[in-house]
Amino acid sequence: MTRTLAREVAKKIGETVTVRGWLHKKRLLGGLNFITIRDRSGLVQTLVDNKDELEKLRGLQIGTVLSLRGTVVADERAMGGAELHDVKVEVEVPVTEEPPIEIDKPISHKSEHLDTLFEHRVLNIRNLQEQKIFKIRADLTRYIRAFLNDNEFIEIDTPKLLAEPTEGGAEVFKLDYFGKTATLAQSPQFYKQIMVGAFERVYEIGHSYRAEPSATTRHLTELTMLDIEMGFVADHDEVLDMVADMTQYTLRRVYDEHADDLRTLNAPELKLAEDNKVPRFTIAEIHDMYTKATKTDTTQEKDLIPDEERWISDYARKQLGTDLVYAVRFPIEAGKFYHKLDVEDGTVLWGDLLFRGLEISTVPLRENNYEKMVQQMKDAGLDIEHEGFKYYLQAFKYGLPQHGGCGFGIDRLVQKTIGLANVKEATLFPRDINRLTP
RNA sequence: GGGCUCGUAGUGAAGUGGUUAUCACGCCUCCCUGUCACGGAGGAGAUCACCGGUUCAAAUCCGGCCGAGCCCGCCA
């Protein structure tokens, strides 16, 4: 028997159809009883007025898997303008245990309830409002892939199991690997640069692992990163423009195609500049502006403090009409060995893309000259003979063009697009310093 | 890693020393032919996170411990 989806029911007035899905809501009025079914397409209401059919549902809880066969009748009073009548009930999978949360009601996202949210994730992800977040997430990455594929980027996959921590920076997880010590990749940095030597333009959407003991609203230990690397770029500006274009394309499209869902999720109105430009301020400029505006002196900081990120984003939205802003030219002491340095200026050719007060991407130009790389690694106190650098340096030794790219936090993009308070809310099964389940 | 805050039925909350710990939703029974946060009557469900202390008396005060949240540092 062919299955009809909830969203197709209204198109089949007068036909006898079978809908299959989960029991979503029972409204029992005595002789007249409304049973709402949920499937992947949404909800459909059925009218059960036969006592024997209704009795099949006695003692069965929300979540029971049902197959309902009935005649589609147009009725203004039903959701979607149609409902099933003369329904025959078949219980496919009975559920007799009462669920620990109410699936048909919006799930609380207050910070003090996040523990409950994730403890009951298996069930609350059945809530239609909750599902919107992850449908939007799926499409955000779909649009990103569309943009990058159209611009001749090749999607790659790189290993997450690595031999040694070599990149520096974030703390890495260590694990036993048949008697050796392996680490989980904190980013695909080395591999994506290596791949520039083959494909010029590459990207990866995958997991990265950070063992930082950070307990904040913007940190995960397992995060989803979009990593992009682009060869033969003329300068840093070309990389900044490409990431800005991609981000704006993605945001405009998601606000267009998911307008209703974003509204019901209380997402902020999207503001982007008419000319598609993302304003840029140097770190030094932001320190000066912030210090003048708030009387808090940050001019000695090497990076932006979180409040400065919020402040400059607020400034960009109110004064320049855009939710996106670049903080560029970090002080040279903040750079890593693979960054392109502007020694005269004392800065690194590195920009952070801020979206609604949060850093969502780092966008640097890389040093591509083999001799300079080796020197910068030595200056950083690294052992260039180390196994972990051997293969990486081969790519440079045998010819890498000037290149740059970005590490882009997908979880944070989803969070800020929707206006969620905590990055974990944008993640199905978040991993943080004290959560490994579910 | 540092600081601050919070743990009360399945879920969310009220209760700041005094009889049997209160309410809403959910659940169970019954009534109800147009519900969509259905309505009405009744019912079950809580060792007040845990351990110890103060007190005639502790959910409430004190100490410890476990768990959680937020901010900072660091990062995407």
Side-chain angles (χ1 to χ4, degrees), chain A residues 136 139-140 143-144 147 243-259 262 268 270-272 278 322-325 353-356 360 408 412-418:
Chain A
I136 287 170
D139 274 347
L140 277 169
Y143 305 150
I144 286 169
F147 179 93
V243 174
D245 288 349
M246 176 195 72
T247 308
Q248 291 177 107
Y249 166 83
T250 302
L251 289 174
R252 286 205 160 98
R253 196 166 164 193
V254 79
Y255 265 78
D256 182 41
E257 296 186 17
H258 289 272
L262 286 164
L270 180 65
K271 289 199 175 188
L272 295 175
V278 171
T322 172
D323 285 327
L324 293 168
V325 59
L353 181 60
L354 305 173
F355 178 39
R356 294 175 175 167
I360 58 165
F408 196 113
R412 288 183 177 185
L413 174 68
V414 177
Q415 177 203 349
K416 283 296 174 181
T417 297
I418 297 172

Side-chain angles (χ1 to χ4, degrees), chain A residues 171-185:
Chain A
E171 292 289 320
V172 298
F173 287 105
K174 293 182 178 171
L175 55 97
D176 176 68
Y177 193 79
F178 305 112
K180 295 179 189 170
T181 300
T183 62
L184 291 177

Side-chain angles (χ1 to χ4, degrees), chain A residues 207-221:
Chain A
H207 283 174
S208 289
Y209 302 86
R210 307 278 167 92
E212 299 285 349
S214 301
T216 77
T217 52
R218 56 191 186 281
H219 286 91
L220 296 163
T221 52

Side-chain angles (χ1 to χ4, degrees), chain A residues 409-430:
Chain A
I410 295 295
D411 312 278
R412 288 183 177 185
L413 174 68
V414 177
Q415 177 203 349
K416 283 296 174 181
T417 297
I418 297 172
L420 300 168
N422 192 314
V423 69
K424 293 168 201 166
E425 298 170 65
T427 312
L428 274 175
F429 299 104

Side-chain angles (χ1 to χ4, degrees), chain A residues 61-344:
Chain A
Q61 304 286 339
I62 304 305
T64 292
V65 180
L66 295 172
S67 174
L68 300 183
R69 186 163 176 77
T71 308
V72 180
V73 173
D75 195 316
E76 292 270 314
R77 296 168 294 186
M79 61 170 98
E83 62 190 3
L84 264 58
H85 282 201
D86 300 322
V87 168
K88 292 285 284 182
V89 176
E90 186 197 331
V91 178
E92 294 196 27
V93 182
V95 174
T96 52
E97 290 285 318
E98 182 189 352
I101 56 165
E102 292 168 61
I103 293 163
D104 61 317
K105 293 193 176 155
I107 310 301
S108 172
H109 277 246
K110 286 183 183 172
S111 61
E112 61 266 37
H113 301 155
L114 288 184
D115 195 45
T116 311
L117 180 76
F118 299 125
E119 200 53 41
H120 299 296
R121 177 56 105 192
V122 171
L123 296 178
N124 67 43
I125 197 57
R126 297 179 173 198
N127 178 271
L128 295 175
Q129 185 77 355
E130 195 67 19
Q131 289 182 359
K132 290 176 186 173
I133 296 171
F134 298 96
K135 287 181 175 174
I136 287 170
R137 180 179 172 125
D139 274 347
L140 277 169
T141 53
R142 192 162 68 85
Y143 305 150
I144 286 169
R145 282 195 168 93
F147 179 93
L148 293 170
N149 293 342
D150 284 351
N151 284 279
E152 297 187 41
F153 285 81
I154 302 286
E155 184 166 9
I156 58 170
D157 290 292
T158 66
K160 304 304 159 206
L161 281 168
L162 304 179
E164 293 270 352
T166 40
E167 192 184 323
E171 292 289 320
V172 298
F173 287 105
K174 293 182 178 171
L175 55 97
D176 176 68
Y177 193 79
F178 305 112
K180 295 179 189 170
T181 300
T183 62
L184 291 177
Q186 55 170 298
S187 87
Q189 184 64 38
F190 288 10
Y191 289 102
K192 67 177 177 177
Q193 287 188 257
I194 288 168
M195 291 313 294
V196 167
F199 295 135
E200 297 187 20
R201 298 179 172 199
V202 296
Y203 74 97
E204 172 169 10
I205 296 177
H207 283 174
S208 289
Y209 302 86
R210 307 278 167 92
E212 299 285 349
S214 301
T216 77
T217 52
R218 56 191 186 281
H219 286 91
L220 296 163
T221 52
E222 182 179 57
L223 51 133
T224 305
M225 290 263 286
L226 161 67
D227 273 274
I228 302 176
E229 209 61 37
M230 184 180 184
F232 291 103
V233 291
D235 51 26
H236 189 212
D237 286 345
E238 188 178 346
V239 187
L240 292 170
D241 286 343
M242 188 278 293
V243 174
D245 288 349
M246 176 195 72
T247 308
Q248 291 177 107
Y249 166 83
T250 302
L251 289 174
R252 286 205 160 98
R253 196 166 164 193
V254 79
Y255 265 78
D256 182 41
E257 296 186 17
H258 289 272
D260 291 344
D261 285 350
L262 286 164
R263 198 176 310 115
T264 58
L265 287 164
N266 291 318
E269 183 197 350
L270 180 65
K271 289 199 175 188
L272 295 175
E274 295 283 327
D275 60 1
N276 236 26
K277 292 288 178 198
V278 171
R280 296 173 195 175
F281 296 94
T282 67
I283 299 295
E285 285 169 342
I286 296 171
H287 284 330
D288 283 345
M289 292 163 74
Y290 179 81
T291 299
K292 282 195 184 104
T294 66
K295 312 292 181 214
T296 305
D297 188 1
T298 56
T299 53
Q300 302 308 306
E301 301 278 345
K302 67 172 184 174
D303 196 352
L304 300 179
I305 66 171
D307 198 48
E308 277 177 303
E309 294 181 349
R310 291 186 283 267
W311 186 88
I312 192 67
S313 283
D314 195 51
Y315 177 87
R317 185 173 169 94
K318 286 181 177 153
Q319 305 297 322
L320 308 171
T322 172
D323 285 327
L324 293 168
V325 59
Y326 267 124
V328 299
R329 291 202 174 249
F330 280 74
I332 212 155
E333 58 269 26
K336 290 182 185 169
F337 65 85
Y338 48 77
H339 284 143
K340 186 83 136 194
L341 309 178
D342 184 339
V343 179
E344 276 184 31

